[in-house]
Coordinates of all heavy atoms in Angstrom, one line a residue:
A1 N -32.6 162.8 175.1 CA -31.4 162.7 176.0 C -30.5 161.6 175.4 O -31.1 160.6 174.8 CB -31.7 162.4 177.5
L2 N -29.2 161.9 175.4 CA -28.2 160.8 175.0 C -27.3 160.4 176.1 O -27.0 161.1 176.9 CB -27.4 161.5 173.8 CG -27.9 161.7 172.5 CD1 -26.9 162.6 171.7 CD2 -28.2 160.6 171.8
R3 N -27.0 159.1 176.0 CA -25.9 158.7 176.9 C -24.6 158.5 176.0 O -24.7 158.0 175.0 CB -26.4 157.2 177.4 CG -25.2 156.4 178.1 CD -25.0 156.9 179.5 NE -26.2 156.6 180.2 CZ -26.2 156.8 181.6 NH1 -25.1 157.1 182.3 NH2 -27.4 156.6 182.1
V4 N -23.7 159.1 176.6 CA -22.4 159.1 175.8 C -21.3 158.3 176.6 O -21.0 158.7 177.8 CB -21.9 160.7 175.6 CG1 -20.6 160.6 174.9 CG2 -22.9 161.6 174.9
V5 N -20.6 157.4 176.0 CA -19.8 156.5 176.7 C -18.4 156.4 175.9 O -18.2 155.8 174.8 CB -20.3 155.1 176.9 CG1 -19.3 154.3 177.6 CG2 -21.7 155.1 177.6
P6 N -17.5 157.3 176.3 CA -16.2 157.2 175.6 C -15.3 156.0 176.1 O -15.5 155.5 177.2 CB -15.5 158.5 176.0 CG -16.0 158.8 177.2 CD -17.5 158.3 177.3
R7 N -14.5 155.5 175.2 CA -13.5 154.4 175.5 C -12.2 154.9 175.4 O -11.7 155.5 174.3 CB -13.8 153.2 174.7 CG -12.8 152.1 175.1 CD -12.9 150.9 174.2 NE -12.0 149.8 174.7 CZ -10.6 149.9 174.6 NH1 -10.0 150.7 173.9 NH2 -10.0 148.8 175.0
I8 N -11.4 154.9 176.5 CA -10.0 155.4 176.4 C -9.0 154.2 176.4 O -9.2 153.2 177.2 CB -9.8 156.3 177.8 CG1 -10.8 157.3 178.0 CG2 -8.4 156.9 177.7 CD1 -11.0 158.3 176.9
D9 N -8.1 154.3 175.6 CA -7.1 153.2 175.5 C -5.9 153.3 176.5 O -5.9 154.3 177.4 CB -6.5 153.1 174.0 CG -5.6 154.2 173.6 OD1 -5.2 155.1 174.5 OD2 -5.4 154.4 172.5
A10 N -5.0 152.5 176.5 CA -4.0 152.4 177.5 C -3.0 153.7 177.5 O -2.4 153.8 178.4 CB -3.1 151.1 177.3
E11 N -3.0 154.2 176.3 CA -2.2 155.4 176.2 C -3.0 156.8 176.5 O -2.4 157.8 176.4 CB -1.6 155.6 174.7 CG -0.8 154.4 174.2 CD -0.4 154.3 172.9 OE1 -1.0 155.2 172.1 OE2 0.4 153.5 172.4
G12 N -4.2 156.7 177.0 CA -4.9 157.7 177.4 C -5.6 158.4 176.2 O -6.2 159.6 176.3
K13 N -5.7 157.9 175.0 CA -6.4 158.4 173.9 C -7.7 157.8 173.8 O -8.0 156.7 174.1 CB -5.6 158.0 172.6 CG -4.1 158.5 172.5 CD -4.2 160.0 172.2 CE -2.8 160.5 171.8 NZ -2.8 162.0 171.5
T14 N -8.7 158.7 173.4 CA -10.1 158.2 173.0 C -10.1 157.4 171.7 O -9.8 158.0 170.7 CB -11.1 159.4 173.0 OG1 -10.9 160.2 174.1 CG2 -12.5 159.0 172.9
D15 N -10.5 156.1 171.8 CA -10.5 155.4 170.5 C -11.9 155.1 170.1 O -12.1 154.7 168.9 CB -9.6 154.0 170.7 CG -10.2 153.1 171.6 OD1 -11.2 153.3 172.1 OD2 -9.6 152.0 171.8
S16 N -12.9 155.3 170.9 CA -14.3 155.3 170.4 C -15.2 155.9 171.4 O -14.9 156.3 172.5 CB -14.7 153.8 170.3 OG -14.8 153.1 171.5
V17 N -16.5 156.2 170.8 CA -17.4 156.9 171.7 C -18.8 156.2 171.3 O -19.1 156.3 170.0 CB -17.6 158.4 171.5 CG1 -18.7 159.0 172.1 CG2 -16.2 159.1 171.7
T18 N -19.5 155.6 172.2 CA -20.7 155.0 172.0 C -21.8 156.0 172.5 O -21.7 156.6 173.5 CB -20.8 153.7 172.8 OG1 -19.9 152.7 172.3 CG2 -22.2 153.0 172.5
L19 N -22.9 156.1 171.7 CA -24.0 157.0 171.8 C -25.2 156.2 171.9 O -25.5 155.4 171.1 CB -24.0 158.0 170.7 CG -22.7 158.8 170.4 CD1 -23.0 159.4 169.0 CD2 -22.6 159.8 171.5
L20 N -26.2 156.5 172.9 CA -27.4 155.7 172.9 C -28.5 156.9 173.1 O -28.3 157.7 174.1 CB -27.5 154.9 174.2 CG -28.9 154.3 174.6 CD1 -29.5 153.4 173.4 CD2 -28.7 153.5 175.9
N21 N -29.4 156.9 172.2 CA -30.6 157.8 172.3 C -31.5 157.2 173.4 O -32.2 156.2 173.1 CB -31.2 158.0 170.9 CG -32.4 159.0 170.9 OD1 -32.7 159.4 172.0 ND2 -32.9 159.2 169.7
L22 N -31.7 157.9 174.4 CA -32.5 157.5 175.6 C -34.0 157.9 175.5 O -34.7 157.7 176.4 CB -31.9 157.9 176.9 CG -30.5 157.4 177.3 CD1 -30.0 158.0 178.5 CD2 -30.5 156.0 177.5
S23 N -34.3 158.5 174.4 CA -35.7 158.9 174.1 C -36.5 158.1 173.0 O -35.8 157.3 172.4 CB -35.9 160.4 173.8 OG -35.2 160.6 172.5
I24 N -37.7 158.3 173.1 CA -38.5 157.5 172.0 C -38.6 158.1 170.7 O -38.8 157.5 169.7 CB -39.9 157.2 172.5 CG1 -40.7 158.7 172.8 CG2 -40.1 156.3 173.7 CD1 -42.1 158.5 173.0
G25 N -38.1 159.4 170.5 CA -38.1 160.2 169.4 C -36.7 160.2 168.8 O -35.7 160.0 169.4
D26 N -36.6 160.5 167.5 CA -35.4 160.7 166.8 C -34.7 162.0 167.2 O -35.3 163.0 167.5 CB -35.6 160.7 165.3 CG -36.1 159.4 164.7 OD1 -36.3 158.4 165.4 OD2 -36.4 159.5 163.6
T27 N -33.3 162.0 167.1 CA -32.5 163.2 167.2 C -32.4 163.9 165.9 O -32.6 163.4 164.9 CB -31.1 163.0 167.8 OG1 -30.4 162.3 166.8 CG2 -31.2 162.0 169.1
D28 N -32.1 165.2 165.9 CA -31.7 165.8 164.8 C -30.1 165.5 164.6 O -29.6 164.9 165.6 CB -31.8 167.4 165.0 CG -33.4 167.8 165.0 OD1 -34.1 167.1 164.3 OD2 -33.7 168.8 165.6
E29 N -29.7 165.9 163.5 CA -28.2 165.8 163.4 C -27.5 166.6 164.4 O -28.0 167.8 164.8 CB -27.7 166.3 162.0 CG -26.3 166.2 161.7 CD -25.8 166.5 160.4 OE1 -26.5 166.2 159.4 OE2 -24.9 167.3 160.2
F30 N -26.3 166.1 165.0 CA -25.8 166.9 166.2 C -24.2 166.7 166.0 O -23.8 165.9 165.2 CB -26.2 166.4 167.4 CG -26.1 164.9 167.8 CD1 -25.0 164.4 168.4 CD2 -27.0 163.9 167.2 CE1 -24.8 162.9 168.7 CE2 -26.9 162.6 167.4 CZ -25.7 162.1 168.2
T31 N -23.6 167.4 166.8 CA -22.1 167.5 166.8 C -21.6 166.9 168.2 O -22.1 167.3 169.2 CB -21.6 168.9 166.7 OG1 -22.0 169.4 165.5 CG2 -20.1 168.9 166.7
V32 N -20.5 166.0 168.0 CA -19.9 165.4 169.2 C -18.5 166.0 169.3 O -17.8 165.9 168.2 CB -19.9 163.9 169.2 CG1 -19.2 163.4 170.4 CG2 -21.4 163.4 169.3
K33 N -18.0 166.5 170.4 CA -16.7 167.0 170.5 C -15.9 165.8 171.3 O -16.3 165.3 172.3 CB -16.6 168.2 171.4 CG -17.2 169.4 170.6 CD -16.9 170.8 171.4 CE -17.5 171.8 170.6 NZ -17.3 173.1 171.4
I34 N -14.8 165.3 170.6 CA -14.1 164.2 171.1 C -12.7 164.7 171.5 O -12.0 165.2 170.7 CB -14.0 163.1 170.2 CG1 -15.4 162.7 169.8 CG2 -13.2 161.9 170.7 CD1 -15.4 161.6 168.7
R35 N -12.3 164.8 172.8 CA -11.0 165.3 173.3 C -10.0 164.0 173.2 O -10.4 162.9 173.4 CB -11.1 165.8 174.7 CG -11.9 166.9 174.8 CD -11.9 167.7 176.1 NE -12.8 168.7 176.1 CZ -13.8 168.9 177.1 NH1 -14.0 168.0 177.9 NH2 -14.6 169.9 177.0
N36 N -8.8 164.5 172.8 CA -7.6 163.7 172.8 C -7.9 162.2 172.0 O -7.7 161.2 172.4 CB -7.3 163.1 174.1 CG -5.9 162.7 174.4 OD1 -4.9 162.9 173.6 ND2 -5.6 161.9 175.5
P37 N -8.3 162.5 170.7 CA -8.7 161.5 169.8 C -7.4 160.5 169.4 O -6.4 161.1 169.1 CB -9.3 162.1 168.6 CG -8.6 163.4 168.5 CD -8.4 163.8 169.9
R38 N -7.7 159.3 169.4 CA -6.5 158.4 168.8 C -6.2 158.5 167.3 O -5.2 158.5 166.9 CB -7.0 156.9 169.1 CG -5.8 155.9 168.7 CD -6.3 154.5 168.9 NE -7.5 154.2 168.1 CZ -7.7 153.0 167.6 NH1 -6.7 152.1 167.6 NH2 -8.7 152.8 166.9
G39 N -7.3 158.9 166.6 CA -7.2 159.1 165.3 C -8.1 160.2 164.7 O -8.9 160.7 165.5
L40 N -7.9 160.5 163.4 CA -8.7 161.7 162.8 C -9.7 161.3 161.8 O -10.2 162.2 161.2 CB -7.7 162.7 162.4 CG -6.7 163.2 163.2 CD1 -5.8 164.2 162.6 CD2 -7.4 164.0 164.5
K41 N -10.0 160.0 161.8 CA -10.9 159.4 160.7 C -12.0 158.8 161.6 O -11.9 157.5 161.9 CB -10.2 158.5 159.8 CG -11.2 157.9 158.8 CD -10.6 156.9 158.0 CE -11.6 156.3 157.0 NZ -11.0 155.2 156.2
P42 N -13.2 159.5 161.8 CA -14.3 158.9 162.6 C -15.2 158.1 161.7 O -15.6 158.6 160.5 CB -15.0 160.1 163.2 CG -14.7 161.2 162.2 CD -13.4 160.9 161.6
V43 N -15.5 156.8 162.0 CA -16.3 155.9 161.4 C -17.4 155.5 162.2 O -17.2 155.1 163.4 CB -15.5 154.7 160.8 CG1 -16.5 153.6 160.2 CG2 -14.4 155.0 160.0
L44 N -18.7 155.8 161.7 CA -19.9 155.5 162.5 C -20.3 154.1 162.3 O -20.5 153.8 161.1 CB -21.0 156.4 162.2 CG -22.3 156.4 162.9 CD1 -22.1 156.7 164.4 CD2 -23.4 157.1 162.3
A45 N -20.5 153.3 163.3 CA -21.0 151.8 163.2 C -22.3 151.7 163.8 O -22.4 152.3 165.1 CB -19.9 150.9 163.7
S46 N -23.3 151.0 163.3 CA -24.6 151.0 164.0 C -25.3 149.7 163.4 O -25.0 149.4 162.2 CB -25.3 152.2 163.7 OG -26.7 152.0 164.1
P47 N -25.9 148.9 164.2 CA -26.6 147.7 163.8 C -27.7 148.1 162.7 O -28.1 147.2 161.8 CB -27.3 147.2 164.9 CG -26.7 147.8 166.1 CD -26.2 149.1 165.7
Q48 N -28.1 149.3 162.7 CA -29.3 149.8 161.8 C -28.9 150.2 160.5 O -29.7 150.4 159.6 CB -30.1 150.8 162.5 CG -30.9 150.4 163.8 CD -30.1 150.3 165.0 OE1 -29.1 151.0 165.0 NE2 -30.4 149.4 165.9
R49 N -27.6 150.5 160.2 CA -27.2 151.0 158.9 C -25.7 150.7 158.7 O -24.9 150.3 159.6 CB -27.3 152.6 158.8 CG -26.7 153.3 160.0 CD -26.9 154.9 160.0 NE -27.5 155.4 161.1 CZ -28.0 156.5 161.3 NH1 -27.9 157.3 160.4 NH2 -28.5 156.9 162.4
P50 N -25.3 150.8 157.3 CA -23.9 150.5 157.0 C -23.0 151.4 157.6 O -23.3 152.7 158.0 CB -23.9 150.7 155.5 CG -25.3 150.7 155.1 CD -26.1 151.2 156.1
D51 N -21.7 151.0 157.9 CA -20.6 151.9 158.5 C -20.5 153.1 157.5 O -20.4 152.9 156.3 CB -19.3 151.2 158.6 CG -19.4 150.2 159.7 OD1 -20.6 149.9 160.4 OD2 -18.5 149.4 159.9
V52 N -20.1 154.3 158.0 CA -20.0 155.4 157.3 C -18.9 156.2 157.9 O -18.9 156.4 159.1 CB -21.2 156.2 157.0 CG1 -21.9 156.7 158.3 CG2 -21.1 157.4 156.1
T53 N -17.9 156.9 157.1 CA -17.1 157.8 157.6 C -17.7 159.2 157.7 O -18.4 159.7 156.8 CB -15.9 158.0 156.6 OG1 -15.2 156.6 156.5 CG2 -14.9 159.0 157.0
L54 N -17.6 159.7 158.9 CA -18.2 161.1 159.2 C -17.4 162.3 159.0 O -16.1 162.1 159.0 CB -18.6 161.0 160.8 CG -19.5 159.9 161.1 CD1 -19.7 160.0 162.7 CD2 -20.9 160.1 160.5
E55 N -18.0 163.4 158.8 CA -17.3 164.6 158.5 C -16.8 165.0 159.8 O -17.5 165.0 160.9 CB -18.3 165.7 157.9 CG -18.6 165.3 156.5 CD -19.5 166.4 155.9 OE1 -19.2 167.6 156.2 OE2 -20.2 166.2 154.9
C56 N -15.6 165.7 159.9 CA -15.1 166.3 161.3 C -14.2 167.4 161.0 O -13.8 167.6 159.9 CB -14.5 165.1 162.0 SG -13.0 164.6 161.2
V57 N -14.0 168.1 162.0 CA -13.0 169.2 162.1 C -12.1 169.0 163.2 O -12.5 168.8 164.3 CB -13.7 170.7 162.2 CG1 -12.7 171.7 162.4 CG2 -14.6 170.8 161.1
H58 N -10.8 169.1 162.9 CA -9.8 168.8 164.0 C -9.2 170.1 164.5 O -8.8 171.0 163.7 CB -8.7 167.9 163.5 CG -7.5 167.6 164.6 ND1 -6.3 167.9 164.4 CD2 -7.7 167.2 165.8 CE1 -5.7 167.6 165.6 NE2 -6.6 167.1 166.4
D59 N -9.4 170.5 165.8 CA -8.7 171.5 166.4 C -7.4 171.2 167.1 O -7.4 170.6 168.3 CB -9.7 172.2 167.5 CG -9.2 173.5 168.1 OD1 -7.9 173.7 167.9 OD2 -10.0 174.2 168.8
A60 N -6.3 171.3 166.4 CA -4.9 170.7 166.9 C -4.6 171.5 168.2 O -4.0 170.9 169.1 CB -4.0 170.9 165.9
S61 N -5.0 172.8 168.3 CA -4.5 173.5 169.6 C -5.2 173.0 170.9 O -4.7 173.1 172.0 CB -4.9 175.0 169.3 OG -6.3 175.1 169.3
R62 N -6.4 172.3 170.6 CA -7.0 171.8 171.9 C -7.0 170.3 171.8 O -7.6 169.6 172.7 CB -8.5 172.3 171.9 CG -8.6 173.8 171.9 CD -10.0 174.3 171.8 NE -10.7 174.0 173.1 CZ -11.9 174.3 173.5 NH1 -12.7 174.8 172.6 NH2 -12.5 173.9 174.6
D63 N -6.5 169.7 170.8 CA -6.5 168.2 170.5 C -8.0 167.7 170.6 O -8.3 166.8 171.5 CB -5.5 167.5 171.5 CG -5.3 166.1 171.0 OD1 -5.5 165.7 169.8 OD2 -4.8 165.3 171.8
E64 N -8.8 168.3 169.9 CA -10.2 168.0 169.9 C -10.8 167.8 168.5 O -10.4 168.5 167.5 CB -11.0 169.2 170.6 CG -12.3 169.1 170.8 CD -13.0 170.1 171.5 OE1 -13.4 171.1 170.9 OE2 -13.0 170.0 172.8
L65 N -11.6 166.8 168.3 CA -12.3 166.5 167.0 C -13.8 166.9 167.2 O -14.4 166.4 168.1 CB -12.1 165.0 166.7 CG -12.2 164.6 165.4 CD1 -11.3 165.2 164.4 CD2 -12.0 163.0 165.4
Q66 N -14.2 167.6 166.2 CA -15.7 167.9 166.2 C -16.3 167.0 165.1 O -15.9 167.2 163.9 CB -15.9 169.4 166.0 CG -15.6 170.2 167.2 CD -15.9 171.6 166.9 OE1 -16.9 172.1 166.4 NE2 -15.1 172.6 167.5
V67 N -17.2 166.2 165.5 CA -17.8 165.3 164.5 C -19.2 165.4 164.3 O -20.1 165.6 165.4 CB -17.5 163.7 165.1 CG1 -18.0 162.7 164.0 CG2 -16.1 163.6 165.4
A68 N -19.7 165.5 163.1 CA -21.1 165.6 162.7 C -21.7 164.2 162.7 O -21.3 163.4 162.0 CB -21.2 166.4 161.4
V69 N -22.7 164.0 163.6 CA -23.5 162.7 163.7 C -24.8 162.8 163.0 O -25.7 163.7 163.4 CB -23.5 162.3 165.1 CG1 -24.2 160.9 165.2 CG2 -22.0 162.2 165.7
P70 N -25.3 162.0 162.2 CA -26.6 162.0 161.5 C -27.6 161.7 162.6 O -27.2 161.1 163.8 CB -26.5 160.9 160.5 CG -25.5 160.1 160.8 CD -24.5 160.9 161.7
N71 N -28.9 161.9 162.3 CA -30.0 161.6 163.3 C -29.8 160.2 163.8 O -29.5 159.3 163.1 CB -31.2 162.0 162.7 CG -31.6 161.0 161.6 OD1 -30.9 160.7 160.8 ND2 -32.9 160.5 161.7
L72 N -30.3 160.1 165.1 CA -30.3 158.7 165.7 C -31.7 158.4 166.2 O -32.3 159.2 166.9 CB -29.3 158.7 166.8 CG -29.0 157.5 167.7 CD1 -28.4 156.5 166.7 CD2 -28.0 157.7 168.8
A73 N -32.3 157.4 165.7 CA -33.7 157.0 166.1 C -33.7 156.7 167.6 O -32.8 156.4 168.3 CB -34.1 155.8 165.4
G74 N -34.9 156.8 168.1 CA -35.3 156.5 169.5 C -34.7 155.2 169.9 O -35.0 154.1 169.2
W75 N -34.0 155.1 171.2 CA -33.5 153.8 171.7 C -32.5 153.1 170.8 O -32.3 151.9 171.1 CB -34.7 152.9 172.1 CG -35.4 153.5 173.4 CD1 -36.6 154.1 173.3 CD2 -34.9 153.7 174.6 NE1 -37.1 154.4 174.6 CE2 -35.8 154.3 175.4 CE3 -33.8 153.3 175.3 CZ2 -35.7 154.5 176.7 CZ3 -33.5 153.6 176.6 CH2 -34.6 154.2 177.3
H76 N -31.9 153.8 169.9 CA -30.9 153.1 169.0 C -29.5 153.5 169.6 O -29.3 154.6 170.1 CB -31.2 153.6 167.5 CG -32.2 152.8 167.0 ND1 -32.3 152.8 165.5 CD2 -33.3 152.1 167.3 CE1 -33.3 152.1 165.3 NE2 -33.9 151.6 166.2
V77 N -28.7 152.8 169.2 CA -27.2 152.9 169.6 C -26.3 153.0 168.4 O -26.6 152.5 167.3 CB -26.8 151.7 170.5 CG1 -26.8 150.4 169.8 CG2 -25.6 152.0 171.2
C78 N -25.3 153.6 168.5 CA -24.2 153.7 167.5 C -22.8 153.9 168.2 O -22.8 154.4 169.4 CB -24.5 154.8 166.5 SG -24.3 156.5 167.1
T79 N -21.8 153.6 167.5 CA -20.4 153.9 168.1 C -19.6 154.6 167.0 O -19.6 154.1 165.8 CB -19.8 152.6 168.5 OG1 -20.5 152.0 169.4 CG2 -18.3 152.8 169.0
I80 N -18.9 155.6 167.4 CA -18.0 156.3 166.6 C -16.5 155.7 166.9 O -16.1 155.8 168.0 CB -17.9 157.8 166.8 CG1 -19.3 158.4 166.5 CG2 -16.8 158.4 165.9 CD1 -19.4 159.9 167.1
F81 N -15.9 155.1 165.9 CA -14.6 154.5 166.0 C -13.6 155.5 165.4 O -13.9 156.0 164.3 CB -14.5 153.1 165.4 CG -15.3 152.0 166.1 CD1 -16.4 151.8 165.6 CD2 -14.8 151.4 167.2 CE1 -17.3 150.8 166.3 CE2 -15.5 150.5 167.8 CZ -16.7 150.1 167.4
L82 N -12.5 155.7 166.1 CA -11.5 156.7 165.6 C -10.2 156.0 165.0 O -9.5 155.4 165.7 CB -11.2 157.6 166.6 CG -12.3 158.5 167.3 CD1 -12.0 159.1 168.6 CD2 -12.7 159.5 166.3
S83 N -10.2 156.1 163.7 CA -9.1 155.4 163.0 C -8.0 156.2 162.8 O -8.2 157.5 162.5 CB -9.7 154.8 161.7 OG -8.6 154.2 161.0
K84 N -6.8 155.8 162.8 CA -5.5 156.6 162.5 C -5.4 156.8 161.0 O -4.7 157.7 160.7 CB -4.3 155.9 163.1 CG -4.2 155.9 164.7 CD -3.0 155.2 165.1 CE -3.0 155.2 166.6 NZ -1.8 154.5 167.1
E85 N -5.9 156.0 160.2 CA -5.8 156.1 158.8 C -6.9 157.2 158.2 O -8.0 157.1 158.6 CB -5.9 154.8 158.1 CG -4.9 153.9 158.4 CD -5.5 152.6 158.8 OE1 -6.5 152.1 158.6 OE2 -4.7 151.8 159.6

């Protein structure tokens, strides 16, 4: 199970999404759909690994970003930051 916590800025745009794996086991790679993203460059930040730019697909008609997230170890946390650049 995952806890998903989006952060919305003053303009109503999603500027980050924090993910917490609530299980003891690792997840498989998964996709997160982010609505109304502030930027189209998702960067994954985690205390356990270096920051990395993630692959994504932007659906302009729905203003939605589909982001591929690598596996997340049990009880680990990461945040996807959405950059405009």
